[in-house]
């Protein structure tokens, strides 16, 4: 065989292998970019929790009438594609130190958000002496079931 012909075949094989490896690398990179990283999910959960706390303050009347909304568009979410779930629990502490749960409110999206869901917990003491524990979960919706 002629050396030029052998070189052409070797180059064609190299070019095919190189193209397949580049295509695979681009596909893996693109699929990883579809996911939202952990710090951005933590930030989204923190922002949603902070916004809820600012809206309701330490007013027990506001918290009593408040209903969780799990639409990310209702909050200042820093990342598009974030799914959120919200749960608020109100507790009362009696003089003997016993804790009584008064109410629990959670949004309709309290289904499992996936293994990559990030949780942010905050709380506030209300004007009447009760305590609200607020949990906000943020997920990219791509992580699968818990």
């Amino acid at each position: 065989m002629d050396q030029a012909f052998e070189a052409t075949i070797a180059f064609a094989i190299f070019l095919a292998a190189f193209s397949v490896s580049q295509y695979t690398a681009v596909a893996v990179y693109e699929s990883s970019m579809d996911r939202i990283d952990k710090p951005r999910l933590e930030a989204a959960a923190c922002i949603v929790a902070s916004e809820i706390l600012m809206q309701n303050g330490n007013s027990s009347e506001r918290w009593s009438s408040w209903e969780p909304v799990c639409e990310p568009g209702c909050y200042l979410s820093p990342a598009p594609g974030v799914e959120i779930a919200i749960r608020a629990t109100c507790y009362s502490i009696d003089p003997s130190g016993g804790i009584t749960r008064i109410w629990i409110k959670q949004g309709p999206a309290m289904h499992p958000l996936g293994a990559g869901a990030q949780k942010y917990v905050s709380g506030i003491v209300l004007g009447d002496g009760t305590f609200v524990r607020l949990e906000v979960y943020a997920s990219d919706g791509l992580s699968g079931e818990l």
Side-chain angles (χ1 to χ4, degrees):
M1 257 195 202
D2 185 49
Q3 285 184 335
F5 184 68
E6 289 175 359
T8 303
I9 290 175
F11 183 72
I13 291 171
F14 167 76
L15 192 58
F18 183 74
S19 298
V20 167
S21 68
Q22 290 301 309
Y23 178 76
T24 303
V26 167
V28 168
Y29 176 75
E30 185 178 87
S31 70
S32 71
M33 293 308 292
D34 287 341
R35 301 183 73 88
I36 301 170
D37 58 355
K38 182 178 175 179
R40 289 182 64 195
L41 289 174
E42 288 174 354
C46 178
I47 288 170
V48 171
S50 298
E51 193 169 342
I52 292 169
L53 289 170
M54 284 190 306
Q55 288 173 357
N56 294 319
N58 68 343
S59 168
S60 44
E61 292 83 27
R62 283 187 188 164
W63 281 101
S64 295
S65 63
W66 173 78
E67 290 298 324
V69 177
C70 291
E71 290 296 320
C74 296
Y75 305 102
L76 300 172
S77 176
V82 172
E83 291 183 7
I84 60 170
I86 301 167
R87 177 184 298 139
T89 309
C90 183
Y91 299 97
S92 174
I93 302 174
D94 60 32
S96 65
I99 298 174
T100 305
R101 185 173 58 206
I102 299 174
W103 51 257
I104 294 178
K105 295 182 179 185
Q106 61 187 32
M110 282 307 289
H111 58 81
L113 291 178
Q118 297 300 308
K119 178 180 176 181
Y120 183 82
V121 179
S122 188
I124 188 167
V125 176
L126 303 183
D128 63 358
T130 58
F131 177 79
V132 173
R133 180 178 193 261
L134 181 64
E135 301 170 52
V136 178
Y137 301 83
S139 172
D140 60 7
L142 303 173
S143 301
E145 296 297 317
L146 282 173

